[in-house]
Protein backbone atom coordinates (compact mmCIF):
# COMPACT_ATOMS: atom_id res chain seq x y z
CA UNK A 1 0.00 0.00 0.00
CA UNK A 2 1.16 3.48 -0.83
CA UNK A 3 -0.45 6.86 -0.31
CA UNK A 4 -0.77 8.85 -3.50
CA UNK A 5 -1.90 12.39 -4.07
CA UNK A 6 -4.12 13.20 -6.98
CA UNK A 7 -6.83 15.44 -8.31
CA UNK A 8 -8.38 17.21 -11.24
CA UNK A 9 -6.64 19.11 -14.02
CA UNK A 10 -6.92 22.67 -12.70
CA UNK A 11 -5.90 21.73 -9.15
CA UNK A 12 -9.13 22.69 -7.39
CA UNK A 13 -9.93 19.09 -6.46
CA UNK A 14 -7.09 17.44 -4.53
CA UNK A 15 -7.06 14.25 -2.52
CA UNK A 16 -4.96 11.52 -0.96
CA UNK A 17 -5.69 7.87 -1.60
CA UNK A 18 -3.97 4.81 -0.18
CA UNK A 19 -3.87 1.86 -2.55
CA UNK A 20 -1.58 -0.88 -3.84
CA UNK A 21 -2.88 -0.22 -7.39
CA UNK A 22 -3.27 -3.99 -7.64
CA UNK A 23 -6.66 -3.76 -9.33
CA UNK A 24 -7.13 -0.94 -11.80
CA UNK A 25 -10.25 -1.48 -13.82
CA UNK A 26 -10.64 -0.94 -17.52
CA UNK A 27 -14.41 -0.92 -17.86
CA UNK A 28 -16.22 -1.05 -21.18
CA UNK A 29 -19.44 0.67 -20.04
CA UNK A 30 -20.64 3.67 -22.02
CA UNK A 31 -19.45 6.16 -19.40
CA UNK A 32 -16.01 4.74 -18.55
CA UNK A 33 -15.10 4.13 -22.16
CA UNK A 34 -16.07 7.62 -23.29
CA UNK A 35 -14.30 9.28 -20.38
CA UNK A 36 -11.30 6.95 -20.41
CA UNK A 37 -11.65 6.30 -16.69
CA UNK A 38 -9.30 3.84 -15.01
CA UNK A 39 -10.88 3.37 -11.59
CA UNK A 40 -9.24 1.70 -8.63
CA UNK A 41 -11.45 1.17 -5.61
CA UNK A 42 -10.61 2.17 -2.06
CA UNK A 43 -12.61 2.21 1.15
CA UNK A 44 -13.54 5.69 2.47
CA UNK A 45 -10.96 5.45 5.29
CA UNK A 46 -8.27 5.25 2.61
CA UNK A 47 -9.44 8.40 0.85
CA UNK A 48 -9.16 11.98 2.04
CA UNK A 49 -10.44 14.91 0.02
CA UNK A 50 -8.02 17.77 0.66
CA UNK A 51 -9.79 20.47 -1.34
CA UNK A 52 -12.50 21.10 -3.88
CA UNK A 53 -15.64 19.65 -2.27
CA UNK A 54 -17.53 22.83 -3.27
CA UNK A 55 -16.42 22.49 -6.90
CA UNK A 56 -17.75 18.95 -7.39
CA UNK A 57 -20.61 18.41 -9.80
CA UNK A 58 -22.45 15.13 -9.68
CA UNK A 59 -23.41 13.03 -12.67
CA UNK A 60 -25.46 9.87 -12.40
CA UNK A 61 -26.87 7.45 -14.92
CA UNK A 62 -28.30 3.97 -15.24
CA UNK A 63 -28.95 2.57 -11.73
CA UNK A 64 -27.65 5.78 -10.12
CA UNK A 65 -25.54 4.02 -7.51
CA UNK A 66 -22.37 5.92 -8.39
CA UNK A 67 -21.83 9.65 -8.02
CA UNK A 68 -19.47 10.62 -10.84
CA UNK A 69 -17.91 13.79 -9.46
CA UNK A 70 -16.32 16.19 -11.89
CA UNK A 71 -14.66 19.49 -11.20
CA UNK A 72 -16.92 22.29 -12.38
CA UNK A 73 -13.91 24.35 -13.47
CA UNK A 74 -11.97 21.87 -15.60
CA UNK A 75 -14.49 19.04 -16.10
CA UNK A 76 -12.17 16.26 -14.96
CA UNK A 77 -13.64 13.34 -13.06
CA UNK A 78 -10.79 12.44 -10.73
CA UNK A 79 -12.89 10.24 -8.43
CA UNK A 80 -16.38 8.94 -7.82
CA UNK A 81 -18.31 7.90 -4.75
CA UNK A 82 -20.50 4.85 -4.75
CA UNK A 83 -21.52 1.64 -3.16
CA UNK A 84 -20.01 -1.79 -3.60
CA UNK A 85 -22.39 -4.65 -4.49
CA UNK A 86 -22.62 -5.49 -0.76
CA UNK A 87 -23.82 -1.96 0.01
CA UNK A 88 -20.63 -0.67 1.63
CA UNK A 89 -19.32 2.77 0.69
CA UNK A 90 -16.53 2.84 -1.86
CA UNK A 91 -14.47 5.51 -3.56
CA UNK A 92 -13.47 4.95 -7.18
CA UNK A 93 -10.20 6.78 -7.70
CA UNK A 94 -9.32 7.52 -11.32
CA UNK A 95 -5.78 6.16 -11.56
CA UNK A 96 -5.12 8.58 -14.43
CA UNK A 97 -5.44 11.43 -11.94
CA UNK A 98 -2.83 10.23 -9.43
CA UNK A 99 0.38 12.23 -9.35
CA UNK A 100 3.42 10.50 -10.77
CA UNK A 101 1.64 7.43 -12.14
CA UNK A 102 2.80 6.02 -15.44
CA UNK A 103 -0.52 4.81 -16.83
CA UNK A 104 1.25 2.58 -19.34
CA UNK A 105 2.84 0.57 -16.53
CA UNK A 106 -0.46 -0.28 -14.82
CA UNK A 107 -1.82 -3.79 -15.04
CA UNK A 108 -5.43 -3.27 -16.14
CA UNK A 109 -8.25 -5.59 -15.12
CA UNK A 110 -10.99 -5.72 -17.76
CA UNK A 111 -14.53 -5.30 -16.46
CA UNK A 112 -17.62 -5.92 -18.55
CA UNK A 113 -19.64 -2.97 -17.28
CA UNK A 114 -21.51 -2.63 -20.56
CA UNK A 115 -23.73 -5.56 -19.63
CA UNK A 116 -24.65 -4.29 -16.15
ZN1 LIG B 1 -10.50 21.19 -11.88
Amino acid sequence: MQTYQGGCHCGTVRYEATTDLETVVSCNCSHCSKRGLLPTFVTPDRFRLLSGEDALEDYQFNRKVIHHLRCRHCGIESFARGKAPDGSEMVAVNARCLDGIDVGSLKLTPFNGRDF
Side-chain angles (χ1 to χ4, degrees):
M1 288 279 179
Q2 197 178 322
T3 299
Y4 297 90
Q5 292 217 346
C8 69
H9 185 259
C10 72
T12 302
V13 177
R14 293 293 298 166
Y15 56 72
E16 276 180 356
T18 302
T19 170
D20 56 11
L21 288 176
E22 184 57 38
T23 304
V24 178
V25 172
S26 174
C27 173
N28 65 1
C29 85
S30 56
H31 185 258
C32 286
S33 54
K34 286 194 183 223
R35 273 210 176 261
L37 299 176
L38 294 177
T40 188
F41 297 89
V42 300
T43 50
D45 57 307
R46 294 200 173 126
F47 180 87
R48 194 158 69 95
L49 188 64
L50 303 173
S51 65
E53 181 77 49
D54 293 350
L56 295 172
E57 287 182 331
D58 193 5
Y59 175 67
Q60 293 193 287
F61 70 104
N62 197 11
R63 292 181 298 144
K64 300 192 166 40
V65 290
I66 303 172
H67 296 273
H68 295 277
L69 300 168
R70 65 176 182 270
C71 170
R72 71 181 153 88
H73 302 292
C74 67
I76 296 299
E77 180 180 331
S78 57
F79 73 102
R81 293 185 178 122
K83 284 191 182 1
D86 68 0
S88 60
E89 299 283 332
M90 290 296 282
V91 180
V93 174
N94 185 359
R96 288 188 184 277
C97 293
L98 297 176
D99 297 349
I101 291 292
D102 174 9
V103 171
S105 71
L106 296 173
K107 179 171 60 85
L108 300 180
T109 301
F111 181 74
N112 187 18
R114 191 165 52 200
D115 294 335
F116 272 74

